[in-house]
């Protein structure tokens, strides 16, 4: 063999060996994970979920990511309020198991199971943005809002970074830093800076990138003040006519409670309606200093005209906040691509719960109704997940942690109640024995001016059964009872009527007809009640020992 042939053979051998080594290293290399979560970003405000707002194209960046992976149509929150949802995600447990029932619930560092387990798997962990769990984050790096009860502010927010004394801004020992600018831009800057300059490049990373937007009061970056300004936003039919939705638990006998239960778009709720919040120049002064409410609302307007004007302003502000989220996700993705990180990074996107955008004339979340309970959820990872997958498999936010851990090469610890859906991600199909229902419970009875009655229930792919037990989760008649007045305290101190609601979601997806008393569904409802009993027992959600006064209501009305 001549020298040229030997040289050619040697180079080919080196190239072949190098290729094998690269493939071997790729197999050994763990994927990075970026978990992106917005606050109150509901599924109606996406293109991919095909709602009335889809034609406005509110989320082009997020839609593109979703279509390159798998989209979940039946992802649900187990307690539709910020702090409990975040606790469920980090613990893999429902509220009664992790102890975070309401907005004042605290998740100690030793119960933040997801980041603890990820560290054991060799991951470097980071949390940026909205935290809202009160105790210090158990992440290698964090930079989170520590202002307004950790809610943060839309403009010039205060955040606390790793190494600083972790406390609220009101604490005399507060060491946080104020950042100038708009919140969604700021946390994206912080995340990109951590990825570029602060992380250990020898380790795989998990980054929790958590937006404040589009939480109320819907303050948007000034650059979006003209976005959708001259667009007529489609309205839900139930904004003006709620038909047979609800029960005496949500409306009162002969609608006696409709002016107090459930914050509204219209003037219906006399304590908290969207007009009270929107038609105040201060509510948008940072976003648009030239905002003039007099140009949009007039004293001579009829109730319907007022509701229409309020809804249009509400949705435009909300969608401007969503626009800021979508654009900042585009910035984050552009950085990942530039740094060569995109293809080996699992991208997960969700909201911390759903949100009512005028459906049934409701705003906010808390309800077990679809728009509040449903979470947007999609995952992109080309190496394992085919583009264009979509599934109606039922998952809930307690399933996130077990799934993330399995994607990272680990297993969920025994205390987690959720289940990994990694196989669904990879195949688009439900494995044998996969859950066919999800449990929901909202604890904060008549809290704040939103005033939602406490309730629990079960949702399957076809049906939904809700029981409103309408009572505080502690006995307020007992002066020794620990009633969380900081989280719940307002003028409401009364119990509300107990009642059942049942919706056939195949025939009534908008939940406009409570068919609980329809004899055609008698057997279906009886079966759902059996499933609900079993689910509550499985999840240790029964009330007999801890909350006997609630159990009395349940027992008294179970067969109504």
């Amino acid at each position: 063999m001549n020298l040229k042939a030997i040289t050619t053979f040697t180079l080919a051998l080196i190239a072949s060996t190098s290729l094998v080594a690269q493939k071997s290293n790729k197999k050994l290399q763990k994927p990075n994970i970026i978990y992106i979560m917005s606050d109150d970003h509901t599924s109606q405000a996406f293109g991919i979920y095909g709602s009335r707002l889809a034609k406005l194209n509110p989320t082009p960046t997020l839609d593109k990511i979703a279509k390159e992976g798998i989209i979940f149509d039946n992802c649900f929150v187990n307690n539709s309020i910020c702090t409990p949802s975040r606790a469920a995600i980090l613990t893999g447990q429902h509220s009664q198991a992790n102890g975070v029932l309401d907005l004042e619930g605290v998740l100690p560092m030793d119960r933040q199971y997801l980041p603890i387990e990820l560290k054991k798997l060799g991951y470097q962990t980071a949390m940026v943005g909205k935290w809202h769990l009160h105790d210090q984050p158990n992440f290698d790096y964090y930079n989170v809002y520590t202002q307004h009860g950790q809610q943060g502010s839309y403009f010039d927010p205060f955040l606390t970074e790793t190494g600083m004394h972790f406390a609220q801004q009101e604490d005399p020992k507060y060491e946080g830093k104020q950042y100038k600018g708009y919140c969604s831009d700021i946390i994206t800057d912080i995340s990109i800076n951590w990825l570029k300059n602060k992380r250990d490049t020898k380790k795989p990373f998990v980054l929790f990138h958590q937006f404040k937007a589009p939480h109320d009061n819907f303050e948007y970056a000034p650059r979006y003040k003209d976005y959708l300004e001259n667009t007529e936003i489609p309205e839900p039919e139930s904004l003006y006519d709620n038909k047979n939705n609800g029960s005496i638990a949500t409306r009162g006998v002969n609608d006696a409670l409709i002016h107090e239960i459930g914050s509204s778009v219209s003037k219906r709720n006399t304590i908290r309606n969207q007009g009270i919040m929107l038609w105040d120049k201060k509510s948008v002064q940072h976003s648009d200093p030239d905002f003039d409410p007099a140009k949009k609302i007039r004293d001579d307007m009829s109730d319907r005209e007022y509701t229409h004007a309020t809804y249009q302003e509400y949705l435009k502000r909300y969608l401007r906040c969503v626009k800021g989220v979508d654009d900042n996700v585009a910035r984050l993705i552009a950085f990942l691509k530039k740094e060569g990180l995109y293809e080996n990074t699992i991208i997960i996107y969700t909201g911390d719960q759903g949100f009512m955008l005028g459906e049934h004339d409701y705003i906010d979340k808390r309800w077990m109704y679809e728009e509040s309970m449903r979470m947007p959820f999609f995952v992109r990872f080309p190496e394992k997940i085919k583009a264009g997958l979509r599934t109606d498999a039922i998952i809930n936010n307690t399933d996130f942690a077990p799934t993330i851990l399995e994607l990272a090469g680990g297993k969920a610890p025994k205390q987690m109640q959720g289940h990994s859906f990694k196989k669904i991600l990879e195949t688009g199909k439900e494995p044998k024995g996969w859950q066919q229902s999800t449990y929901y419970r909202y604890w904060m009875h008549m809290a704040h001016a939103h005033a939602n009655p406490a309730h629990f229930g079960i949702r399957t792919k076809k049906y939904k059964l809700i029981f409103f037990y309408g009572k505080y989760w502690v006995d307020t008649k007992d002066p020794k009872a620990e009633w969380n007045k900081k989280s719940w305290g307002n003028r409401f101190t009364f119990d509300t009527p107990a009642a059942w609601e049942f919706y056939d979601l195949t025939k009534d997806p908008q939940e406009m007809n409570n068919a609980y008393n329809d004899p055609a569904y008698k057997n279906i409802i009886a079966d759902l009640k059996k499933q609900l009993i079993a689910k509550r027992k499985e999840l240790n959600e029964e009330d007999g020992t801890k909350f006997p006064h609630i159990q009395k209501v349940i027992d008294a009305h179970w067969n109504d």
Side-chain angles (χ1 to χ4, degrees):
M1 185 180 290
N2 60 33
L3 182 61
K4 183 177 180 181
I6 293 173
T7 303
T8 301
F9 175 77
T10 302
L11 290 173
L13 182 62
I14 292 170
S16 176
T17 304
S18 176
L19 185 61
V20 170
Q22 286 178 23
K23 289 182 178 180
S24 178
N25 287 336
K26 189 174 182 181
K27 287 181 180 179
L28 292 173
Q29 186 181 12
K30 289 189 175 184
N32 303 309
I33 302 171
I34 294 186
Y35 174 93
I36 307 172
M37 186 163 72
S38 297
D39 195 319
D40 296 341
H41 191 184
T42 186
S43 60
Q44 303 97 283
F46 284 82
I48 54 169
Y49 284 106
S51 77
R52 67 182 185 279
L53 304 177
K55 65 181 182 181
L56 300 176
N57 193 28
T59 50
T61 299
L62 293 170
D63 290 352
K64 185 175 186 297
I65 297 169
K67 290 173 183 177
E68 292 175 353
I70 184 169
I71 300 168
F72 284 76
D73 288 321
N74 281 331
C75 177
F76 301 105
V77 69
N78 69 84
N79 182 354
S80 188
I81 194 72
C82 297
T83 305
S85 175
R86 291 161 195 272
I89 290 165
L90 291 184
T91 63
Q93 297 175 326
H94 287 255
S95 296
Q96 191 159 187
N98 64 40
V100 181
L101 307 181
D102 57 28
L103 290 176
E104 302 307 317
V106 176
L107 190 64
M109 293 181 72
D110 63 353
R111 295 216 306 269
Q112 297 170 28
Y113 303 128
L114 180 54
I116 291 170
E117 295 299 318
L118 286 166
K119 290 177 191 178
K120 293 177 184 177
L121 295 170
Y123 277 81
Q124 186 177 23
T125 60
M127 166 68 69
V128 176
K130 182 170 176 178
W131 172 240
H132 214 205
L133 286 166
H134 304 289
D135 210 348
Q136 182 176 333
N138 198 343
F139 286 74
D140 296 311
Y141 173 84
Y142 61 80
N143 203 345
V144 296
Y145 298 124
T146 43
Q147 177 188 31
H148 306 318
Q150 297 186 2
Q151 178 63 47
S153 59
Y154 269 108
F155 290 89
D156 303 336
F158 286 81
L159 291 92
T160 296
E161 190 174 16
T162 313
M164 296 178 176
H165 174 66
F166 191 81
Q168 293 296 293
Q169 187 192 5
E170 299 80 13
D171 192 309
K173 297 180 181 179
Y174 184 69
E175 296 179 354
K177 173 184 174 182
Q178 185 176 25
Y179 291 74
K180 295 295 182 181
Y182 185 66
C183 63
S184 297
D185 302 337
I186 289 166
I187 71 156
T188 305
D189 290 343
I190 292 170
S191 285
I192 289 174
N193 182 52
W194 180 79
L195 288 166
K196 187 174 183 179
N197 300 313
K198 296 187 177 184
R199 69 183 177 90
D200 183 349
T201 57
K202 295 178 181 178
K203 290 184 176 182
F205 66 82
V206 175
L207 168 63
F208 277 63
H209 179 82
Q210 303 195 160
F211 292 97
K212 169 186 171 65
H215 191 280
D216 68 12
N217 287 330
F218 318 119
E219 295 181 61
Y220 47 88
R223 61 183 179 273
Y224 299 123
K225 72 181 183 67
D226 296 324
Y227 174 62
L228 299 174
E229 181 60 24
N230 298 314
T231 301
E232 181 77 4
I233 309 297
E235 298 173 338
E237 182 183 350
S238 57
L239 174 62
Y240 300 103
D241 183 2
N242 205 18
K243 295 185 179 177
N244 192 38
N245 167 269
S247 60
I248 60 169
T250 61
R251 302 168 73 136
V253 178
N254 297 322
D255 284 352
L257 296 176
I258 63 170
H259 300 298
E260 297 173 328
I261 290 181
S263 48
S264 62
V265 176
S266 73
K267 295 179 180 179
R268 175 185 55 77
N269 188 314
T270 55
I271 305 301
R272 187 179 178 93
N273 64 67
Q274 200 56 276
I276 293 172
M277 296 178 283
L278 291 180
W279 305 122
D280 175 2
K281 195 167 185 177
K282 293 180 180 178
S283 69
V284 73
Q285 61 184 343
H286 291 292
S287 300
D288 184 1
D290 298 321
F291 172 72
D292 183 0
K295 292 180 179 179
K296 299 189 177 185
I297 184 76
R298 303 188 314 275
D299 292 337
D300 63 345
M301 280 183 168
S302 66
D303 284 353
R304 189 179 182 94
E305 289 172 329
Y306 175 93
T307 300
H308 173 74
T310 301
Y311 172 85
Q312 293 296 317
E313 182 69 16
Y314 165 33
L315 266 290
K316 288 172 184 178
R317 292 191 192 182
Y318 179 90
L319 291 171
R320 287 166 188 160
C321 291
V322 168
K323 176 69 172 169
V325 168
D326 194 76
D327 286 350
N328 273 291
V329 171
R331 288 179 58 212
L332 187 58
I333 298 303
F335 172 81
L336 294 174
K337 289 180 177 179
K338 181 181 176 183
E339 298 295 314
L341 294 169
Y342 191 51
E343 294 308 312
N344 192 45
T345 298
I346 299 169
I347 306 291
I348 300 170
Y349 186 90
T350 188
D352 59 347
Q353 61 250 329
F355 204 73
M356 308 299 292
L357 296 179
E359 298 85 6
H360 310 295
D361 189 27
Y362 290 134
I363 59 173
D364 202 65
K365 49 264 186 178
R366 305 163 191 261
W367 296 107
M368 197 180 163
Y369 299 134
E370 284 296 279
E371 296 83 5
S372 170
M373 184 184 182
R374 185 186 301 279
M375 304 171 77
F377 191 88
F378 49 86
V379 185
R380 180 196 187 275
F381 186 45
E383 185 177 321
K384 296 288 185 180
I385 302 171
K386 294 179 181 178
L389 289 179
R390 194 158 195 147
T391 177
D392 68 349
I394 289 178
I395 62 171
N396 68 62
N397 56 340
T398 67
D399 299 322
F400 295 0
T403 305
I404 290 171
L405 288 173
E406 190 171 2
L407 287 169
K411 290 184 179 180
K414 292 181 180 179
Q415 65 266 33
M416 287 189 177
Q417 296 173 314
H419 306 92
S420 171
F421 50 86
K422 180 174 178 283
K423 289 183 180 178
I424 300 175
L425 292 176
E426 296 174 347
T427 65
K429 298 178 181 179
E430 298 176 35
K432 186 177 179 180
W434 186 252
Q435 60 199 9
Q436 297 300 301
S437 66
T438 189
Y439 178 76
Y440 179 92
R441 184 165 191 176
Y442 175 72
W443 292 80
M444 297 173 64
H445 178 70
M446 300 300 283
H448 311 135
H450 293 294
N452 295 41
H455 57 287
F456 61 74
I458 190 169
R459 190 207 190 276
T460 69
K461 290 183 181 179
K462 292 183 177 181
Y463 307 113
K464 181 181 294 182
L465 182 68
I466 313 171
F467 179 62
F468 290 88
Y469 55 88
K471 201 171 183 68
Y472 295 120
W473 60 271
V474 292
D475 191 349
T476 55
K477 295 177 182 178
D478 180 357
K480 297 179 181 179
E482 295 181 3
W483 178 45
N484 196 341
K485 291 187 177 182
K486 184 177 180 183
S487 181
W488 298 14
N490 56 28
R491 72 183 188 87
F492 298 103
T493 56
F494 60 89
D495 296 334
T496 54
W500 289 93
E501 295 182 17
F502 167 82
Y503 298 95
D504 182 340
L505 300 172
T506 57
K507 296 180 180 179
D508 180 28
Q510 306 303 319
E511 298 173 311
M512 298 301 290
N513 178 39
N514 175 13
Y516 182 75
N517 293 316
D518 186 337
Y521 293 106
K522 180 179 179 181
N523 291 338
I524 292 171
I525 291 171
D527 181 64
L528 287 171
K529 285 186 178 182
K530 289 180 181 177
Q531 291 186 48
L532 187 52
I533 290 172
K535 184 71 73 172
R536 281 168 56 78
K537 185 175 182 179
E538 172 195 342
L539 298 173
N540 193 27
E541 277 283 329
E542 296 168 300
D543 295 292
T545 302
K546 290 185 178 180
F547 311 112
H549 63 294
I550 294 177
Q551 190 62 47
K552 287 180 182 178
V553 178
I554 296 170
D555 293 341
H557 294 277
W558 192 259
N559 295 316
D560 283 359

